[in-house]
Amino acid sequence: MKTTDNASASLAEQSNDEYSVRITGFWSGRSELIVPALVFILAGFLTYGTATMKVMGTSVPGPQFFPTIVCVLLFLMAIIHTIQILRTRRFPHEDSEGQNADFSTDLLSDLADTENEAIYVPTARPSVTGKRKAYSDWKTLGMVAGAVAAFILALPVLGWILSAAGLFWVVCRALGSKRPLFDLSVAILFSSAIQLAFNAGLGLNLPSGFLEGLI
Amino acid sequence: MESLSLLMEGFSQALTPMNLLWVVIGAVLGTAVGVLPGLGSAMAVALLLPITFSLEPTAAFIMFAGVYFGGLFGDSTSGILLNTPGNSSAIASTFEGHRMALDGRAAKALATAAMGAFIGGLIATTVVVFFAPVLVKMATAFGPAEYFALAVFAFLAISSVVSDSVVKGLMSLGLGLVLALVGVDGPSGTARYTLGMPELFDGMSIVVITVGLLALGEVLHIASRIHRDETAVRVESKGRPRLDLSDIRRAMPAWLRGTAFGVPFGVIPAGGSEVPTFMAYGLEKKLAARNGDTDFGTTGSIRGVAAPEAAANATAGTAMGALLALGLPTSATAAIMLAAFQQYGMQPGPLLFERSGPMVWTLLASLFIGLVILLVLNMQFAVLWAKLLLIPRHYLYAGITVLSVLGVYAISSSIVDLWILLGVGLLGFMMRRYKFPLAPVLIAVILGPLAETELRRALTVSQGDLSILIDSPVTIVLYGLLAITLVITGIQHLRHSKTARSQALKFDTDKLGV
């Protein structure tokens, strides 16, 4: 399969509606397959759990009745979804960024008689020159998710003030703050204020960790 | 007239200094999350729930009432000034609102939006005061089959009729139902899908799921895009928002027409105010074309802002009525309010008016008070609210991350809950990345247990005979309406996907050079 960098770049110049998209193999535009894959695993686990459930009581319909319906629904939808993705590649579109999937844009534009007027007007055009970056910024995402995981591990040991301040600071860094020292003071102020408000005002105890007794 | 005297009693309860303070706090918080794009009242209430747990329920609900309406007041501010609506309920008013701002009439647009939200909310809440008792009387005749039909109606309307893709909507619904299934099954005492972990016997907390999906999921989504998207250009708003008499004369019919769209939609589980706001906007557009109104679509029409804003808050007002009287959440935000009632051990529905009557009427009274406070806050300080958009985004989202873990930890000081939060947050990110609707998950988590219990109750009574489910006039009407809307949606989806697919296939083969 040939790459079409040039073709797509020129296409992007021709019409402002398309962005440079490269099809380099089977997975291009098909990464969404991870969703039905996870749903299959979940539905499989659910089926196993339903089959091996230790049922108590003798009520009919019992506790396995409703989960069975949910299992069928999940399997059915996952199959249809897989077929849909295999038939048509789907590329994330910067135009639709921020668009809410809770509502069908087609339905809304029919109701408002807006026809093809864009419901979300993109505010800035992404660059189409140079190598296209992955749609999602996995590095930043990984830092934020990692910071939350680290927070959960650190909370019992370090206590609320230190671990929450650390979480705040790392998320700030990941999202592009350029003032590490200033952020550090904001972070500690924020987490200490919460600790104070909670312990004094609301009577809820947040763990103090190894600082126990010192404060 | 009994309603009036009960409402007056509610006012006397709500007008104590302490309760007034809670309304103001709620209104300020609600407006703030409304102004900030990507955050909404649903998330704010979910974050507040664990923190307010030590409060008296009346105080907490008075505050939630402020948050509930406040989000709808604030969301048009960022739409008008930034062209990025704070919530999807403000998309329709953004079209004309931003045009007015570009034309140098930002202050006027902000004032029109605030007045519209006030009028819509006021009329709808008045309707609720007089019709809630009627709804309650109707609902007392509902049995298990009727409640199951209502739940099915809400499930399918929100997951398939209004959402972008039927398949994705139903998958979201299924995911939500699975989350709701975890835990010990009430009627039989069977432990389901708990992996033997005692922490999961009580099921997953609704707060954890909501905060994970709406707050942490949003932060993770922003993280994946913040270095990719460029920020929007802000239009400066000069002067105090003020409307002169000719503006009011022009906007008044639009405010009333918008309200007329919003009021009935509050009781229909169509996911909230998006559908009515677009219908109101569409009508104003048609009327403008007929009357030769040249503002519309060029310099921005005051009516194009007035009607959708009034529709949005009118929907929220009657949605509160449907929630209180029937126990039926018609939008994600209403679903979180229902979860809030459940946290306090109350079940909205006909019995709520009997058991917690004074609280309900105090809540309704504080909806009125909240509207007045919100009008003042948004008319006088609209420009100040827009300053919120100047907070650097990294501080904002770092703060939300810390508040999310705080809220979840505060429920039961459980580390397991925090891991579930991270898992649900990642799920929320994946759903946003692949454009899966989030509302069906929340509706399923909150109505799932009710649907299951009522279905099993109905079938136990009928000894397994399925016909009991469609045995009464109410259920026949509900399923009939549902079938008709599903058919119409099906045709509409087919029509749109046919054009979309022919374009996509052409694009695909072009790329491959076939």
Side-chain angles (χ1 to χ4, degrees):
Chain A
M1 215 167 281
K2 62 172 183 178
T3 56
T4 51
D5 263 354
N6 291 336
S8 54
S10 61
L11 191 89
E13 277 161 18
Q14 280 167 18
S15 87
N16 268 337
D17 290 322
E18 312 290 359
Y19 299 106
S20 58
V21 174
R22 290 187 303 164
I23 293 180
T24 51
F26 174 77
W27 290 102
S28 305
R30 292 202 176 119
S31 67
E32 193 172 339
L33 282 174
I34 190 163
V35 182
L38 288 175
V39 172
F40 272 123
I41 295 173
L42 181 73
F45 163 74
L46 209 64
T47 315
Y48 172 78
T50 314
T52 58
M53 196 181 284
K54 286 195 200 79
V55 178
M56 323 250 269
T58 52
S59 57
V60 177
Q64 291 157 308
F65 175 66
F66 199 70
T68 313
I69 304 175
V70 179
C71 279
V72 173
L73 173 80
L74 282 178
F75 272 123
L76 210 67
M77 287 307 131
I79 292 170
I80 300 176
H81 192 214
T82 312
I83 296 172
Q84 282 184 338
I85 301 168
L86 289 177
R87 281 181 66 189
T88 319
R89 293 175 196 267
R90 293 176 181 182
F91 295 98
H93 220 273
E94 264 88 354
D95 261 1
S96 64
E97 190 45 52
Q99 183 178 319
N100 189 340
D102 283 348
F103 289 91
S104 157
T105 24
D106 293 337
L107 172 84
L108 293 182
S109 56
D110 277 0
L111 288 178
D113 190 26
T114 46
E115 282 157 34
N116 289 325
E117 183 180 337
I119 293 223
Y120 281 86
V121 189
T123 45
R125 294 264 163 212
S127 119
V128 289
T129 51
K131 193 171 174 287
R132 186 186 155 81
K133 292 176 190 165
Y135 180 76
S136 294
D137 180 351
W138 295 106
K139 191 180 148 222
T140 312
L141 176 70
M143 276 171 82
V144 174
V148 176
F151 165 84
I152 302 172
L153 291 174
L155 182 63
V157 187
L158 297 181
W160 168 264
I161 293 186
L162 289 183
S163 30
L167 175 63
F168 188 95
W169 189 77
V170 176
V171 175
C172 273
R173 292 294 288 168
L175 296 184
S177 168
K178 300 256 160 29
R179 298 159 75 190
L181 276 178
F182 180 73
D183 290 351
L184 197 63
S185 46
V186 174
I188 291 178
L189 205 68
F190 189 55
S191 64
S192 316
I194 290 175
Q195 173 107 17
L196 265 178
F198 260 61
N199 284 11
L202 297 164
L204 295 167
N205 271 318
L206 289 167
S208 350
F210 72 90
L211 294 173
E212 183 94 56
L214 287 177
I215 45 173
Chain B
M1 285 304 104
E2 197 197 341
S3 306
L4 268 186
S5 62
L6 285 167
L7 183 68
M8 285 307 136
E9 234 161 82
F11 267 109
S12 67
Q13 283 289 314
L15 281 171
T16 62
M18 243 355 239
N19 284 345
L20 270 179
L21 179 71
W22 291 121
V23 185
V24 174
I25 293 176
V28 169
L29 275 173
T31 313
V33 292
V35 169
L36 297 166
L39 313 179
S41 330
M43 191 209 78
V45 173
L47 275 179
L48 283 175
L49 257 183
I51 302 169
T52 50
F53 210 66
S54 50
L55 286 180
E56 190 206 344
T58 313
F61 280 107
I62 285 177
M63 182 162 73
F64 295 158
V67 176
Y68 182 75
F69 273 136
L72 289 165
F73 270 83
D75 59 3
S76 49
T77 306
S78 46
I80 290 167
L81 297 180
L82 274 173
N83 203 18
T84 33
N87 265 316
S88 45
S89 45
I91 300 169
S93 42
T94 299
F95 294 130
E96 293 303 303
H98 189 62
R99 285 194 183 113
M100 283 178 77
L102 290 177
D103 190 44
R105 290 181 292 152
K108 198 163 275 181
L110 291 170
T112 315
M115 265 313 273
F118 175 73
I119 292 176
L122 189 71
I123 295 178
T125 314
T126 314
V127 169
V128 168
V129 166
F130 290 101
F131 279 87
V134 182
L135 272 182
V136 165
K137 239 171 236 148
M138 217 176 77
T140 40
F142 280 17
E146 282 82 2
Y147 270 110
F148 179 67
L150 272 181
V152 170
F153 193 99
F155 286 161
L156 291 183
I158 288 168
S159 67
S160 351
V161 177
V162 295
S163 85
D164 209 18
S165 145
V166 178
V167 176
K168 287 182 181 178
L170 288 174
M171 277 169 102
S172 297
L173 181 75
L175 287 175
L177 290 173
V178 173
L179 292 177
L181 281 175
V182 176
V184 174
D185 167 50
S188 70
T190 311
R192 295 193 291 188
Y193 320 109
T194 54
L195 304 166
M197 289 161 76
E199 289 92 344
L200 289 178
F201 283 175
D202 281 340
M204 290 187 194
S205 160
I206 290 166
V207 174
V208 179
I209 295 171
T210 321
V211 171
L213 271 185
L214 298 182
L216 193 58
E218 178 71 19
V219 173
L220 293 173
H221 176 71
I222 294 289
S224 83
R225 296 294 308 163
I226 197 165
H227 298 311
R228 297 275 193 275
D229 292 325
E230 284 170 49
T231 43
V233 189
R234 189 164 153 243
V235 178
E236 285 301 323
S237 157
K238 288 191 188 75
R240 276 246 304 277
R242 190 172 287 150
L243 293 171
D244 49 47
L245 210 63
S246 69
D247 295 326
I248 293 177
R249 209 173 295 144
R250 265 178 65 69
M252 191 48 101
W255 282 328
L256 295 179
R257 282 193 291 261
T259 309
F261 274 110
V263 165
F265 262 93
V267 283
I268 301 170
S273 41
E274 283 75 1
V275 173
T277 51
F278 270 79
M279 290 171 90
Y281 174 79
L283 178 71
E284 292 308 316
K285 192 176 178 177
K286 279 203 192 89
L287 287 175
R290 186 188 299 162
N291 301 341
D293 193 343
T294 51
D295 284 1
F296 220 99
T298 51
T299 52
S301 159
I302 199 167
R303 288 184 172 172
V305 182
E309 271 307 303
N313 266 45
T315 313
T318 40
M320 184 59 98
L323 177 69
L324 291 173
L326 297 176
L328 175 76
T330 54
S331 69
T333 317
I336 307 308
M337 292 293 284
L338 176 60
F341 277 103
Q342 288 170 343
Q343 291 278 317
Y344 282 98
M346 288 179 269
Q347 182 63 44
L351 287 177
L352 186 73
F353 279 77
E354 260 172 49
R355 287 187 192 154
S356 328
M359 198 216 81
V360 173
W361 288 105
T362 313
L363 175 63
L364 285 174
S366 49
L367 286 178
F368 285 107
I369 300 169
L371 282 169
V372 175
I373 290 171
L374 279 164
L375 180 67
V376 176
L377 280 178
N378 282 275
M379 283 289 260
Q380 297 301 310
F381 308 110
V383 184
L384 216 63
W385 287 115
K387 292 260 189 293
L388 268 183
L389 298 164
L390 295 178
I391 300 177
R393 291 215 288 172
H394 45 261
Y395 290 136
L396 185 64
Y397 290 108
I400 289 169
T401 315
V402 171
L403 289 179
S404 311
V405 293
L406 171 75
V408 166
Y409 188 77
I411 310 169
S412 54
S413 310
S414 145
I415 296 289
V416 176
D417 275 354
L418 287 172
W419 288 114
I420 298 176
L421 170 77
L422 182 58
V424 177
L426 288 169
L427 175 75
F429 161 71
M430 196 177 74
M431 293 180 71
R432 283 179 172 81
R433 167 69 176 77
Y434 293 112
K435 303 262 175 283
F436 275 70
L438 296 170
V441 182
L442 296 172
I443 293 285
V445 167
I446 286 152
L447 278 186
L450 176 118
E452 182 183 8
T453 322
E454 300 295 343
L455 176 64
R456 281 162 70 182
R457 204 173 278 164
L459 290 181
T460 310
V461 172
S462 74
Q463 297 182 319
D465 184 5
L466 284 172
S467 66
I468 189 171
L469 297 177
I470 45 166
D471 218 21
S472 76
V474 177
T475 51
I476 294 171
V477 169
L478 278 173
Y479 287 121
L481 275 176
L482 189 61
I484 295 168
T485 29
L486 284 179
V487 169
I488 296 174
T489 321
I491 296 170
Q492 196 216 15
H493 271 288
L494 273 182
R495 187 161 58 84
H496 282 292
S497 71
K498 208 180 255 170
T499 47
R501 192 174 303 132
S502 64
Q503 278 167 5
L505 271 180
K506 192 171 152 285
F507 180 60
D508 210 15
T509 45
D510 277 358
K511 290 286 161 225
L512 285 163
V514 182

